Amino acid sequence: MGRIVTPARFAQTPANLGGFETDSDRERAALWARLRAEAEAAADGDPLLRSFIHIAVLSHDGFASALGAHLARKLGDWYIPAERLADITEQAHAGDPAIVAAAVADLTAIVTRDPAADGLLTPFLYFKGFHALQWHRVAHWLWAQGRRDLAHFLQSRVSEVFAVDIHPAVSIGRGVLIDHGTGVVIGETAVVGDDVSILQGVTLGGTGKEHGDRHPKVRDGVLLAAGAKVLGNIEVGRHAKVGAGSVVLKPVPPGATVAGVPARVVGWSTSGQAPAVEMDMSLPEPEYTI
């Protein structure tokens, strides 16, 4: 039976991963080695899944190849079959290697922050928030290349299949967790920084039918809890936290915790760690006055 590589063994040294020139290359190689080990164990553990896991992971020679093919099979339809979509992901990965590096950071973020992720294999195969985000990265590359009709097609298919609707113009950093994903909507001129966590039902939207720069700017390390709505061209500052079900209509200072309808400041981050990484959805106890 195959053996699952533990997180401790995942932290390999450059000497163990010889032949890779950059930190990004080493991170990808280490993640791929761990993903393959988990896939081998899963294939040995349940014969019904053996063929599926072989096609999804073990038949590939690297992370980018496996990711692109798996994404393509998830999204392929009569109009553009999986084989053609795989060609598109390959073009995007070759055109901008940062797309693959971001996917490595995103998958690592899931394992770090989501207690439901018992390893790399489960989110790689099944987490639709991860799949939707990786397709967005491809669509964003196409948008920048001027292939906007195809980018819109991918946005539409992702919305249909994964229930996540992100405009292809949106700039999203790396190490981003979209947890569950269902009902997430991000408008055209929004910006999402690095190491952000976004839960189900979050909207980064406008406030009306105005044109131009009209959507929120979410800075590094922000946690947007389930059902949060952030509306308008406002900034959610670095390491801020937005409570579940809140409606944010004004800028959020860095390090603030906001909650309510409309949202107001109810506390401040004191741990020094990004709320997106802590994934603590609780809010300070309300202060009662008599």
Side-chain angles (χ1 to χ4, degrees), residues 226-248:
K229 315 299 179 187
V230 186
L231 306 177
N233 183 15
I234 59 176
E235 180 169 303
V236 181
R238 183 176 183 270
H239 286 198
K241 176 166 68 172
V242 178
S246 300
V247 177
V248 182

Side-chain angles (χ1 to χ4, degrees), residues 68-91 135 150 153-154 157:
H70 189 55
L71 292 175
R73 284 188 294 271
K74 288 281 185 177
L75 215 62
D77 66 358
W78 287 102
Y79 298 106
I80 304 183
E83 293 78 8
R84 298 292 299 277
L85 289 176
D87 291 340
I88 294 170
T89 63
E90 185 176 354
Q91 292 172 24
W135 266 123
L150 182 54
F153 174 85
L154 293 179
R157 283 292 294 149

Side-chain angles (χ1 to χ4, degrees), residues 31-269:
L31 180 138
W32 176 240
R34 180 183 173 190
L35 182 61
R36 280 191 62 89
E38 292 182 12
E40 289 169 355
D44 289 344
D46 195 325
L48 285 176
L49 293 175
R50 188 171 297 146
S51 177
F52 165 58
I53 292 173
H54 177 78
I55 292 170
V57 179
L58 298 176
S59 64
H60 296 275
D61 59 2
F63 176 71
S65 171
L67 177 65
H70 189 55
L71 292 175
R73 284 188 294 271
K74 288 281 185 177
L75 215 62
D77 66 358
W78 287 102
Y79 298 106
I80 304 183
E83 293 78 8
R84 298 292 299 277
L85 289 176
D87 291 340
I88 294 170
T89 63
E90 185 176 354
Q91 292 172 24
H93 294 168
D96 185 3
I99 294 174
V100 178
V104 170
D106 297 338
L107 192 53
T108 302
I110 294 172
V111 176
T112 301
R113 303 175 205 169
D114 188 349
D118 54 0
L120 294 169
L121 184 65
T122 297
F124 178 85
L125 292 177
Y126 307 122
F127 282 21
K128 63 193 182 80
F130 174 72
H131 299 152
L133 178 55
Q134 304 323 308
W135 266 123
H136 169 73
R137 297 193 186 284
V138 174
H140 184 66
W141 179 81
L142 290 167
W143 186 267
Q145 299 297 309
R147 302 172 68 182
R148 297 192 171 186
D149 289 329
L150 182 54
H152 277 306
F153 174 85
L154 293 179
Q155 176 195 3
S156 176
R157 283 292 294 149
V158 167
S159 179
E160 292 170 7
V161 174
F162 303 126
V164 176
D165 194 346
I166 307 174
H167 192 285
V170 174
S171 173
I172 298 182
R174 49 181 285 158
V176 172
L177 165 64
I178 299 181
D179 193 19
H180 299 289
T182 301
V184 168
V185 177
I186 304 180
E188 179 183 11
T189 60
V191 174
V192 178
D194 295 334
D195 302 317
V196 171
S197 291
I198 301 172
L199 276 77
Q200 68 271 19
V202 165
T203 297
L204 303 179
T207 57
K209 61 179 184 179
E210 71 276 10
H211 294 278
D213 194 356
R214 60 195 185 279
H215 295 106
K217 312 299 181 280
V218 178
R219 303 309 181 191
D220 297 352
V222 168
L223 171 61
L224 301 174
K229 315 299 179 187
V230 186
L231 306 177
N233 183 15
I234 59 176
E235 180 169 303
V236 181
R238 183 176 183 270
H239 286 198
K241 176 166 68 172
V242 178
S246 300
V247 177
V248 182
L249 302 174
K250 296 181 180 180
V252 178
T257 296
V258 299
V261 182
R264 63 181 181 86
V265 175
V266 296
W268 298 89
S269 175

